[in-house]
């Protein structure tokens, strides 16, 4: 395969992965709670990994403005999936964390999703899975995307 054909194949497969990923994240969000917006699952994952995180850090991670994050956090707070508290280091800022219900719901869906990856990759040799993870991480590093997204 020529270099050009290989690059076109990579672009095509990445585009397909992104399209499917966007649809899957929306589905996963609804599995956590039927009222959630499409990106909520990713936001819950970031909060779960951080433990407690500033609203501004959420916005920076997802490259969205404070107003957008505040609106989404407020919606998550209203249905009891996250709690907001004043940041002890800066009373003007707030910290967001998962509630016990939010953590249970998010982890249940994440574990199911991880099980699906396990099924999909079960026929691959372990070395291929490790190499695939390494290549994806390397690619995400080049594109400026966080591996946790």
């Amino acid at each position: 395969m020529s270099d050009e054909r290989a690059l076109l194949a990579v672009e095509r497969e990445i585009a397909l992965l992104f399209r499917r990923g966007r649809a899957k994240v929306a589905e996963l969000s609804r599995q956590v709670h039927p009222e959630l917006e499409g990106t909520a699952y990713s936001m819950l994952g970031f909060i779960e990994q951080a433990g407690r995180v500033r609203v501004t850090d959420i916005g920076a991670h997802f490259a969205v403005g404070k107003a957008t994050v505040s609106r989404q956090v407020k919606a998550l707070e209203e249905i009891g999936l996250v709690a907001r508290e004043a940041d002890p280091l800066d009373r003007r800022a707030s910290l967001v964390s998962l509630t016990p219900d939010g953590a249970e719901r998010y982890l249940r869906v994440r574990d199911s999703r991880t099980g699906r990856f396990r099924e999909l990759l079960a026929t691959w040799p372990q070395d291929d899975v490790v190499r695939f993870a390494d290549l994806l991480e390397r690619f995400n590093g080049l594109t400026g995307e966080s591996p946790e997204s």
Side-chain angles (χ1 to χ4, degrees):
M1 181 182 293
S2 72
D3 288 351
E4 186 63 24
R5 286 178 59 118
L7 287 174
L8 289 172
V10 167
E11 190 279 331
R12 181 184 63 246
E13 295 302 322
I14 293 292
L16 176 61
L17 186 64
F18 286 170
R19 277 194 310 276
R20 288 179 176 168
R22 278 191 298 272
K24 188 63 176 175
V25 166
E27 178 186 324
L28 293 168
S29 293
R30 288 187 298 279
Q31 287 177 18
V32 171
H33 193 283
E35 295 176 27
L36 292 183
E37 291 185 21
T39 59
Y41 178 83
S42 297
M43 187 176 290
L44 291 170
F46 180 70
I47 296 167
E48 192 274 332
Q49 186 175 31
R52 291 185 340 170
V53 63
R54 285 183 176 195
V55 171
T56 53
D57 292 336
I58 297 170
H61 179 78
F62 291 101
V64 295
K66 186 177 179 186
T68 300
V69 173
S70 292
R71 179 181 57 78
Q72 291 176 341
V73 167
K74 182 178 180 193
L76 293 170
E77 194 174 23
E78 287 174 354
I79 57 177
L81 300 180
V82 301
R84 196 186 313 222
E85 63 185 279
D87 184 340
L89 301 176
D90 180 356
R91 296 306 230 179
R92 298 168 296 166
S94 57
L95 296 172
V96 178
S97 59
L98 296 182
T99 63
D101 183 46
E104 186 277 323
R105 287 171 178 259
Y106 168 76
L107 293 172
R108 178 180 38 82
V109 173
R110 187 202 64 192
D111 290 348
S112 174
R113 176 179 172 230
T114 302
R116 179 67 179 137
F117 278 117
R118 189 173 286 109
E119 289 172 15
L120 289 170
L121 297 173
T123 61
W124 287 23
Q126 182 62 27
D127 289 348
D128 284 358
V129 176
V130 170
R131 178 125 173 89
F132 185 52
D134 289 344
L135 290 170
L136 285 172
E137 183 176 358
R138 193 165 126 203
F139 180 77
N140 282 332
L142 291 173
T143 62
E145 298 292 330
S146 170
E148 295 84 30
S149 298

